[in-house]
Amino acid sequence: MPKVTFVHPDGCRETVEGDSGVSIMQLATSKRIGGIIGECGGAAMCTTCHVFVDPAHVESTGNPNEIEDEMLEVTATERQTTSRLGCQIVLTDQMDGLVLHLPETQ
Ligand code: FES
């Protein structure tokens, strides 16, 4: 099971394990990671699953598609170059060790 570490704005880190095939949003909400809401249920419509992918892991998580890219323009916390919607990142075994930073607000 791949491990994912969520880093809160205050620097607090939470590491959880998840099954391949679930989204980062699903993983975070099922493990009660504060700061990931997932209000639209993963439809890329709410941006309450915004995360900043650690630069070392950008390659394994890929790039946003067109719809996700548009939604990243309206996030509560300003978009950064490594911003993604957690509901659009599907966990794979190759992502083991993934580090995601959480924004101040969703
Ligand atoms: Fe709504 Fe990701 S859960 S955009």
Side-chain angles (χ1 to χ4, degrees):
M1 272 194 191
K3 285 185 182 160
V4 177
T5 298
F6 294 90
V7 184
H8 293 271
D10 65 359
C12 175
R13 300 166 77 92
E14 289 186 89
T15 300
V16 294
E17 285 184 337
D19 292 320
S20 292
V22 302
S23 75
I24 292 301
M25 180 277 286
Q26 290 170 318
L27 174 66
T29 55
S30 71
K31 302 289 185 181
R32 302 190 187 283
I33 301 292
I36 298 278
I37 301 165
E39 208 167 84
C40 74
M45 296 296 290
C46 70
T47 75
T48 62
C49 60
H50 183 199
V51 295
F52 306 116
V53 178
D54 192 88
H57 303 275
V58 166
E59 206 169 302
S60 69
T61 53
N63 296 311
N65 65 24
E66 198 175 323
I67 293 167
E68 181 184 354
D69 196 50
E70 282 176 19
M71 292 306 294
L72 286 168
E73 294 299 326
V74 296
T75 50
T77 299
E78 193 174 349
R79 178 182 191 168
Q80 297 179 5
T81 53
T82 64
S83 283
R84 292 293 308 274
L85 295 179
C87 66
Q88 302 301 301
I89 301 173
V90 177
L91 194 59
T92 65
D93 288 338
Q94 290 69 37
M95 290 181 196
D96 185 37
L98 177 63
V99 177
L100 300 167
H101 300 265
L102 298 169
E104 288 285 344
T105 57
Q106 291 285 11

